[in-house]
Amino acid sequence: MLADHDTLMDDLFGDSEAVQIPAAPPLHGLNQRLDDLSRGSCCQRLAYSREGAIAAISKDSKSISISILSRNPRHGTWSLKPLNVITPELGDEGSASIVHIAWSPLGGDLAIVDDAGQICIYRSFQVLGQMRLQPQKSLVIEHDFRSIVGFHWFGVFPHSRSTGVCWSATRTGANWQYDTKHSVGPVGPCNPIKSGNAFLSLSRGGVLKLFFALQDGTYSVQSCTLDGAPHIADAISHAAFAPDSDNSLMVAAYDLSRQLKVFRIHVNWKYNEKEPQEAPRPSLEVVPHAWEESCHPLSANSMGQDNSTAGGPDSSYLSQMTHLEFLAPESSGKTSGNRDSVPTILATFCNIPRAATMVYDPLNRYQNAASVVCRWHLKAVKLPPVLAVFDEIQAMYFKNVPGLIKSSEQTIKQELQLERLSDVHLHSIVLSQTILRHNTLLGFAMSDGAIEFRFRESMELASADGNYEEVSTLPQSGFSFPQGEPVLNVALSPNFCCALAMNTDGKVKLRRMEYSVDSLGSLNEDQPQFGAISALLASSVTSSFIGYCTVDDILAILPPDIPITLANAIAEQLFMACSAVPTGSIDFLNPKNQTTAYFLKSTMLQRCISFHYALSPMEHGCLSINAKLAWTLFNMKSVIASLYYCTNPEPSWRIEIANTMLGNIRYATGVVGFILQEISNLRHDLGDNGLNDHAAIAEKIKASGSPALLFIFCSLPRKTLRQCLNLLQKLWDLTNKNMNTPSETNPQLQQQWKQFASELVRNCPHFNLVFKTHDFLDQEQAPEKRRRNPLETLLVELDGYLARAYEKSNYSDADRLSSEMRMFVRAEISPSLLPIAGALLKKMEGLGRYYDQGALYRLDTSFLGAWGALAITAEKRRWDSVRKSEYGMQARVRRCPRCASVMEEVRQGDPAVLWMTVMGALRSCNCGNSWAVGQMDEERKSNGDVVRVKRERED
């Protein structure tokens, strides 16, 4: 028995025999995915727009789901939120399947391609997720090879010519210097109609189609055929496009005979800008340039040679192309050695061991396969001298022919040739390939679940380099995607810090970059990477701003409990990086920044404030003081815009417009009431002795969590308040004028204006403080002083006090800007300015004689959303953040994915549409982010700061 027991133990725990661990099963659907990739370039099933919209083809390839990244306002976490499902009309009487989707450069239009070669365009009409099919004037061309193998969106005029990037940030002492460049790289052809889209498609048979949007939004089509190169009749399997500096477009086409051909496409739009009502009548010209007779990965004995184009294919592998990319030339300064690069073609092949092809089981075909990237430079070379001699002879013979250039005036002729570079072998199969950062970086999604980045020129991996003195890209600074499960379809976000992953089940999952060097939640200011991370994220956000991209994906990779010190440092660096950009300065003590027009056009500043608000962590379940300040500020900017466009020109102020503005007027006067309430409470808490205790003032501001004193102490909010007071006074003067002017056509008009004025006064207990009336005017004052109300007078005096304090402390412009940023971002008043704070609290007491202090004390200002959890105000009370008023239970709404603000959908005939359209409120939230399709108020559940509602599908 013991012997038998020992035998059993040996069998159970013995190590005499090696344990064979079975290989991981192949990824389900990998064969089908690689077959799709080998058939053509147009097989993208996931697409992420620059506006933040996400499109995904369904499992059955008959519909497309639209979703976005949305932020939970209580926890600060980001997640995918479905918005809509669209089902396009497919070709071949509905039997076709969707094979490819692509967003336009600015993210407004979505092109959908089916396997029958039909293309339809859906437009996001002002709201993310609200898709409408665009009419199309098709030009039908019968061809045996209709399926689309190449697709390219044109740049958009004038946006594409002004886009830019912040290449890097370099530490200079305690500060950072940002290398920002505009108009990066060639743009290529653009639709001459302002903000009009256009794109090219290439079919398997070589038919080029140009689709371009007209003034009314419909698409028209022109076409031509690739010709002029040998063997053009061979079917094309892959194509890639790249813009060139002469406003032309280059195309690389790979056919089934393994030839790689390069063409140049010129577009003559035939459009008269002086007569914009006439549609363009474009024509296409195709010029062949170069070709590679045998395009394939090189054999092993050809590797490492400088010119290896003569090397044959590796006989031990069976290669099939999966991706073709054409990289336009770029000039990125430091990253390319201060010289312009040349156009580069990347052909990615899947190398399958020939032994694997003999296996009968098709599931094991790609078990040991891997990708190899073949590269070519497209270079200009001089023609041989003998050809130049023939040109001279021809010029001499035809010297009298009009228009012919004489030989002495001729330039040296050049032609384009493909120069083969060494191949790059990867560890697994490439399933997705993306050109990033203005053609300087490449993103690869691999079949083993890895996502890696490589530099354009060297093809080396971009990984953490440990350099904390100069930062440029997220991968170089230590951000990377953790190893994930294998997926078939991957799409990178606009800032390539988030990735969408989808398998055959059609479910989209979100993957985020993580900081691999350390934990972002544990960084402190003494660590060298603290400043590097702050500058890196600031430069990335700046690149998004000047590149017309969303920044929600950057916010999504930051932890919701980010340390307040790190959040403030990122915001400060962002304001510094954007201060050099037009309309991006936060220094409103500078006289050139003190105009209403500057403030209304400062979209860069608005985006910085919005990012700062979303970045600020919650404190004890409530907003931090700097987040409250940012929230109130960009809402006040919305009020100023509405007041400005409703009263300029003066005839715009009509009774139907005035009635739609009551909510905004109430909000503006409510902010004044809130400031007076909070400053009165602060004055009471400090007492008479505390007014001279500067440390006590700073501590009370921080403990109260109220942004009231900061709102009039920081130059930017104070200037905002002054502009608002001026516009309110203009509005009241126009109202008085209309009340006292009888109307011949409408006798009831005067009474309607009186009712409006009565409603305005009723909602503003501190009316005499906000508006100039005869009650408080001192007749002994000079006329120019009588034109200001007492609150504005105090704000003007405060401007002078602060300017003199800065001058007395010998503050330079940079020091003053830094002080303003610390007040706005960190809620810290400079010690040299604290004496003014005590004096200001004393002077504010003198304003009490202009209003009913008891009525102001009882004034309900909760609708301002200036403290606590904002979604209680926005959704529980059904609060329209644009009209600043409540909406009905059954109203359709739009919702901001970032700040959770809500806006009621405009109704036909609503007078508010006039000023909403001019100020851009129909397309973007007060925080500057795009609106998304909202929900119906059918089911509400309040949990302190967020309300979940049931989504209603679009009709």
Side-chain angles (χ1 to χ4, degrees), residues 756-909:
F756 169 78
S758 175
E759 185 71 15
L760 192 153
V761 174
R762 186 177 65 84
N763 284 289
C764 184
H766 45 293
F767 179 84
N768 287 343
L769 183 65
V770 176
F771 298 98
K772 293 177 291 187
T773 65
H774 66 280
D775 296 331
F776 68 84
L777 286 179
D778 188 349
Q779 298 300 324
E780 296 180 358
Q781 288 182 331
E784 61 271 12
K785 290 187 177 180
R786 291 208 310 266
R787 285 198 292 268
R788 293 197 183 109
N789 60 46
L791 180 58
E792 186 184 3
T793 300
L794 181 63
L795 296 177
V796 172
E797 292 177 356
L798 184 58
D799 277 345
Y801 293 151
L802 293 173
R804 287 190 289 273
Y806 282 130
E807 184 178 356
K808 184 177 179 180
S809 302
N810 296 321
Y811 274 43
S812 64
D813 290 344
D815 295 334
R816 183 181 62 189
L817 179 61
S818 177
S819 175
E820 289 290 333
M821 281 196 302
R822 290 187 72 85
M823 278 195 291
F824 186 77
V825 173
R826 297 178 181 265
E828 297 177 1
I829 299 179
S830 174
S832 59
L833 304 181
L834 282 173
I836 301 177
L840 176 65
L841 291 173
K842 290 180 181 178
K843 296 204 70 167
M844 292 290 288
E845 285 185 311
L847 298 178
R849 63 190 178 98
Y850 296 116
Y851 59 88
D852 184 346
Q853 298 188 45
L856 181 65
Y857 180 79
R858 296 188 299 270
L859 181 66
D860 179 17
T861 57
S862 60
F863 66 91
L864 298 176
W867 64 87
L870 300 180
I872 292 180
T873 298
E875 293 193 71
K876 185 179 180 181
R877 296 189 59 180
R878 303 188 300 279
W879 187 257
D880 188 323
S881 62
V882 176
R883 295 179 179 86
K884 302 291 189 294
S885 59
E886 294 185 0
Y887 56 84
M889 284 290 293
Q890 298 302 317
R892 291 179 177 273
V893 296
R894 304 175 182 183
R895 187 178 185 273
C896 176
R898 185 183 303 167
C899 73
S901 294
V902 178
M903 170 188 167
E904 182 185 3
E905 286 283 3
V906 293
R907 298 175 298 274
Q908 187 175 4

Side-chain angles (χ1 to χ4, degrees), residues 643-682:
L643 293 174
Y644 181 81
Y645 292 121
C646 285
T647 57
N648 286 280
E650 292 184 3
S652 301
W653 187 241
R654 304 188 303 272
I655 187 62
E656 61 270 18
I657 296 294
N659 288 326
T660 66
M661 289 298 298
L662 277 172
N664 278 274
I665 297 171
R666 185 187 176 215
Y667 188 93
T669 57
V671 168
V672 176
F674 165 67
I675 292 174
L676 294 175
Q677 283 180 347
E678 294 297 304
I679 289 181
S680 177
N681 295 335
L682 180 62

